[in-house]
Amino acid sequence: MSDVLKDAVVSMQQVGGRTLRVATWRLDEKSDHLPVLFFNGIGANIEAVAPLADALSERGFIMFDMPGVGESPDPTIPYNPFTMSWTASKLLDQLGIDDVDVMGISWGGGMAQHFAMQHAARTRRLVLIATSAGMLMMPGSPKALTKMANPRRYIDTDYMLKNFETLYGEGLGKSKGKKGHMSLLKPPSPRGYMYQLMCMLGWTSAPALPFLLKQKTLIMMGDDDAIVPLTNGKFLSMLIPNSELVVMEGGGHLFLLSHKEESVKAIRGFLNGTAADAESNEAQAA
């Protein structure tokens, strides 16, 4: 097992007819905070976001590899946001968890939005990171999108390093840091990658957001994101009634890495602070 998962419980779970590799952190520890259900970016395995799970040490954390990604077996049939949100909800049932705070990055931000609307009763707060409303999005730079479409970005380390700044921004320092992140990535299978692309084909949350997304929502964007430009975060903020937008200055698509301390502080402040706000409101009402 990778060193970044040394504090995680990793298992293969049968969930709704699918086999998924699941990682959980601290679910057996007492906490005053709800656990986080995290949806990863396209083609990204659990290890890529494990450092965030470690950083949010005051709460439980749940993440799984999508079918055909990481160490989850290839999907036998395609899936869509509805079926995968249902699968994630079944996973929570199996783990004995009722309510969660939901987070998602990039592609996973779309899944997080869908889950929060489809399973509103068990979603308390929502954090959307470097993401969009789906089909109705302002596209990134053609140079970055061309490289995004090439699966070599996962399979060929030299290709990734050569194009890293075009894809993810210049805020990650020396190449050692880039290689460090690359070492956490495992290429998805061709079928897993294709099915994940197909999952969001034609999907958009835009018409539903003003009416169905009632949870308090934190939208985090980088102002130098070549893949999902800041305009998309502003669009989400306009559509989601109970939202706030935080912009990472100089942040590219992976500002969770380049602006790690600032990002964790914003997430923790939002998730922990809202609980304090609720207690304050109850005290005032009394």
Side-chain angles (χ1 to χ4, degrees):
M1 185 185 300
S2 170
D3 287 345
V4 296
L5 295 179
K6 60 183 175 61
D7 295 324
V9 177
V10 181
S11 61
M12 301 300 290
Q13 302 261 359
Q14 297 294 323
V15 189
R18 299 183 186 275
T19 302
L20 299 175
R21 179 188 182 227
V22 178
T24 64
W25 287 258
R26 299 173 295 275
L27 293 187
D28 59 345
E29 299 178 13
K30 185 177 180 180
S31 174
D32 294 329
H33 308 289
L34 290 181
V36 166
L37 172 64
F38 193 94
F39 291 97
N40 221 332
I42 191 164
N45 48 297
I46 288 168
E47 285 84 349
V49 182
L52 177 63
D54 288 330
L56 294 173
S57 57
E58 72 278 9
R59 63 182 66 243
F61 205 96
I62 305 148
M63 187 166 26
F64 59 91
D65 285 336
M66 286 287 169
V69 175
E71 295 182 21
S72 288
D74 272 354
T76 54
I77 58 173
Y79 55 88
N80 57 43
F82 180 88
T83 57
M84 193 49 66
S85 291
W86 177 84
T87 301
S89 183
K90 287 295 181 184
L91 174 61
L92 294 181
D93 291 341
Q94 291 180 197
L95 294 172
I97 295 171
D98 294 323
D99 301 330
V100 288
D101 289 322
V102 177
M103 297 174 59
I105 183 170
S106 194
W107 181 95
M111 279 299 312
Q113 292 170 61
H114 195 99
F115 183 93
M117 291 186 286
Q118 184 174 330
H119 299 284
R122 66 193 317 172
T123 304
R124 185 188 72 112
R125 300 286 183 256
L126 180 63
V127 180
L128 303 176
I129 304 165
T131 193
S132 72
M135 183 177 63
L136 296 180
M137 73 170 286
M138 177 67 70
S141 73
K143 186 177 181 182
L145 293 178
T146 299
K147 292 177 172 59
M148 275 288 291
N150 193 334
R152 283 182 64 198
R153 69 191 180 104
Y154 289 109
I155 299 168
D156 188 335
T157 301
D158 291 336
Y159 179 87
M160 171 62 96
L161 293 177
K162 179 181 177 182
N163 296 287
F164 199 96
E165 290 186 352
T166 299
L167 284 168
Y168 300 120
E170 300 179 357
L172 288 168
K174 299 178 180 179
S175 61
K176 179 180 178 182
K178 301 168 190 175
K179 291 179 181 176
H181 177 67
M182 277 294 298
S183 70
L184 301 179
L185 301 179
K186 178 180 180 179
S189 72
R191 180 187 293 181
Y193 191 68
M194 179 181 68
Y195 279 16
Q196 206 172 359
L197 286 171
M198 289 171 55
C199 174
M200 291 294 183
L201 192 64
W203 177 90
T204 179
S205 59
L209 289 177
F211 308 104
L212 298 182
L213 192 56
K214 305 298 184 182
Q215 297 90 342
K216 284 190 175 182
T217 302
L218 175 65
I219 303 163
M220 302 176 66
M221 304 292 294
D223 66 0
D224 194 29
D225 191 336
I227 297 172
V228 185
L230 174 58
T231 303
N232 293 285
K234 293 179 178 179
F235 185 53
L236 285 173
S237 182
M238 180 181 70
L239 292 174
I240 301 172
N242 207 359
S243 65
E244 59 180 281
L245 174 64
V246 171
V247 179
M248 296 295 167
E249 187 175 349
H253 196 57
L254 293 185
F255 61 78
L256 275 184
L257 296 177
S258 63
H259 298 57
K260 181 179 177 180
E261 290 185 8
E262 188 178 353
S263 297
V264 170
K265 182 179 179 181
I267 293 169
R268 178 175 283 124
F270 173 72
L271 295 180
N272 295 356
T274 49
D277 291 344
E279 292 174 2
S280 175
N281 291 338
E282 289 176 2
Q284 291 176 5

